[in-house]
Amino acid sequence: MTSYKELGFVNTRQMFKKTMAGKFAVGAYNFNNMEQLQAIIVACVETQSPVILQVSKGARSYANQTLLKYLGQGAVEMMKELAKSEGLKEIPMALHLDHGDTFQLCESCVDSGFSSVMIDGSHHSFEDNIALTKKVVEYAHKFDVTVEGELGVLAGIEEHVVAEKSHYTKPEEVIEFVSKTGVDSLAISIGTSHGANKFKPEQCTKTADGVYVPPELRFDILAEIEKQIPGFPIVLHGSSSVPAEAVRLINSNGGALKDAVGIPEEQIRRATQSAVCKVNIDSDGRLWMTAAIRKHFSDKPADFDPRKYLGPARQALIDMYKHKNEHVLGSAGKV
Ligand code: G3H
Ligand code: 13P
Ligand code: ZN
């Protein structure tokens, strides 16, 4: 058993108290490898933002769970060293399991130093979701690990998150879910979805210059949920904006991304003014990383040293996370 406290992580409880009072959200950024992790830490130390380092089930098996544990341990050390060398404050960091789908997976993460876990029972019936989430909460809380549950289903196809259609969260269910499970935060479905194709072109309007504008998120449902559980931390998954410039760079350097549409950043900014405390972003990082690598190989096709193309990819990620913290989530300077 490794406690997250020994590793230097914090759980999300204190973080969310601050976000709620300060009307901003913490970035929950996914990583699968060293360069992504370095980029998140560098960006968040430099903007002085609290951060949630997010690991999916797929990331855990891709990176190897034992190696990942040491990477996680290194994360806190790296953050401290960087903060010291730049004369900046240390930042609060949580290590979080994204979309845990079984009790066993959540238990294993709690036991190996995660400070927060998500149990995603949203594909089960309401009753089964409550039972599974409650079981995870009972275990995690013994170790002061915070738990995120989910009500409503997000559309999108990811390695371990598969749903063809989204189902909005029903505001009338949230009080019962939160009180019966004891969760610390709640992920909701109000129109966001996973991946780079969040809306079909026919759901969008098209501007004169060919940009798809998606329908607005269901802020009415968010407001209704807040009314039911005032002051309770809300989580927004599927919050990538799918930047047109990243898509353009990918496609002009040999890529074939079709009809990519994300959530406009001003809508995410608007959501942070509510009880939304945590905003999940993965796809934007994938896109910028791919764009930088594709561009590098177009410009320098003879390169074969991974540092030559992963270095610019890491820098593109740093720039993106700083932008999110400073201009979208409002988490800059909030340590
Ligand atoms: O919501 C899912 C995250 O983007 C993680 O995706 O399961 O492919 O690692 P993944
Ligand atoms: P995006 O695919 O929009 O980045 O969402 C990521 C996410 O919700 C991770 O849980
Ligand atoms: Zn998600």
Side-chain angles (χ1 to χ4, degrees), residues 37 39 45 62-63 81 114 120 137 144 184 189 223 290 308 328:
L37 180 62
V45 168
Y62 172 81
E81 255 173 42
F114 281 61
D120 182 354
V137 169
D144 205 18
D184 302 281
S189 173
T290 304
K308 293 260 167 67
V328 184

Side-chain angles (χ1 to χ4, degrees), residues 123-143:
H123 301 269
H124 298 296
S125 69
F126 184 61
E127 291 71 26
D128 290 353
N129 188 0
I130 288 181
L132 177 61
T133 306
K134 186 170 187 276
K135 190 173 171 194
V136 171
V137 169
E138 278 167 0
Y139 185 74
H141 280 185
K142 281 190 210 158
F143 306 98

